[in-house]
Amino acid sequence: MSAVRSLAGLLAVLALWEGSTRVGLVDARFVPPPSVVLVRVAELLGSEAFLRDVIATVLAWAIALGIAVAIAVPAGLVLGSVRAVRIATRALVELLRPIPSVALIPLVILLVGGGPEAKITLAVYASIWPILYNTVYGLDEIDPLLTETARACGTPRLHIATSVALPCAAPFMVTGVRLSAAIALIVVVSTEFLAGASRGIGSAILQASSGAGRMDLVLAATFVAGAIGFAINEGLERLARRAFPWSTVASAA
């Protein structure tokens, strides 16, 4: 039902956009109406070259998100469980976390080159933080009574971590993955555009905006990127609701 309401809002915005260009409130040369943009979307989706760009972007996104999960979840479990490590690394984490990924483009290109490795590296960097913080926060939210009861029953520390801590923190981790999924897609497309990648949606947008400045193609490719992000978020939200039906955390973000 929320997806239907979201689509209703989208349709309202598209209608307002179409009307604004038709009556001249918005210059159609710079912002073509959605009736034109959606036709271009259909044309792009029938283009083999653009589909290769979409595959390149989605593949880079998936690899980056997988690496970010593999790094951030164990790191979050350590930071959330061992107070001394959390305090010792707080300054480093707070120093690195606010750095925009796009500011690191020159450094990353210098270190790993301008191929797909650059956008994957930058997307991993940007995606780590929401997963890391949500994992730590999830561990902080565990009811101490649960862990104390397990200890009083003689449950080994490792078993407490797997049977009490992980199930309680898992909905928070999934919320972090949802947030990071959107961030990773933004960074991948932005890097493709700013670094001039040979393949990807960002590269298609860059080519369309160069020369004749085909804003209809720019907006059409941008719309496809937005639709991919919408589909990813809806998929992860449905997965979280099915995996953790008792929790309101995963669906609240």
Side-chain angles (χ1 to χ4, degrees):
M1 184 60 72
S2 61
V4 174
R5 286 198 293 266
S6 300
L7 290 176
L10 174 62
L11 292 175
V13 170
L14 291 176
L16 182 62
W17 175 8
E18 181 77 26
S20 300
T21 53
R22 294 295 179 189
V23 301
L25 290 177
V26 177
D27 193 335
R29 293 175 301 171
F30 304 122
V31 186
S35 57
V36 173
V37 173
L38 292 177
V39 171
R40 297 293 176 268
V41 169
E43 292 175 356
L44 285 177
L45 294 178
S47 166
E48 182 180 344
F50 184 73
L51 291 180
R52 289 181 183 274
D53 288 329
V54 171
I55 292 172
T57 296
V58 173
L59 186 59
W61 165 84
I63 294 173
L65 188 63
I67 295 174
V69 170
I71 296 174
V73 168
L77 291 174
V78 172
L79 294 182
S81 304
V82 185
R83 182 174 174 79
V85 177
R86 185 170 175 178
I87 293 174
T89 58
R90 179 177 298 167
L92 178 63
V93 170
E94 293 301 329
L95 175 68
L96 295 176
R97 186 169 63 96
I99 297 176
S101 293
V102 292
L104 299 174
I105 288 178
L107 176 63
V108 171
I109 290 178
L110 187 65
L111 293 175
V112 302
E117 298 86 357
K119 56 186 176 184
I120 292 173
T121 301
L122 290 166
V124 168
Y125 178 81
S127 306
I128 281 178
W129 310 113
I131 303 172
L132 179 71
Y133 270 82
N134 273 276
T135 302
V136 173
Y137 184 73
L139 293 175
D140 287 345
E141 288 298 302
I142 296 175
D143 187 350
L145 184 61
L146 294 176
T147 54
E148 291 300 327
T149 302
R151 289 195 186 99
C153 293
T155 306
R157 190 181 183 89
L158 180 61
H159 191 56
I160 292 176
T162 56
S163 62
V164 178
L166 274 178
C168 292
F172 293 89
M173 296 178 191
V174 173
T175 299
V177 172
R178 279 183 55 207
L179 297 173
S180 293
I183 293 172
L185 183 62
I186 292 170
V187 172
V188 167
V189 175
S190 299
T191 305
E192 290 168 347
F193 180 84
L194 295 173
S198 58
R199 279 289 176 195
I201 295 177
S203 174
I205 293 173
L206 178 62
Q207 292 176 16
S209 62
S210 304
R214 292 288 303 276
M215 290 307 298
D216 53 344
L217 293 177
V218 170
L219 293 176
T222 304
F223 182 87
V224 172
I228 292 172
F230 178 82
I232 291 170
N233 185 69
E234 284 295 315
L236 290 175
E237 186 174 343
R238 289 174 185 271
L239 180 65
R241 285 176 178 170
R242 181 164 296 184
F244 314 109
W246 70 88
S247 175
T248 58
V249 174
S251 59

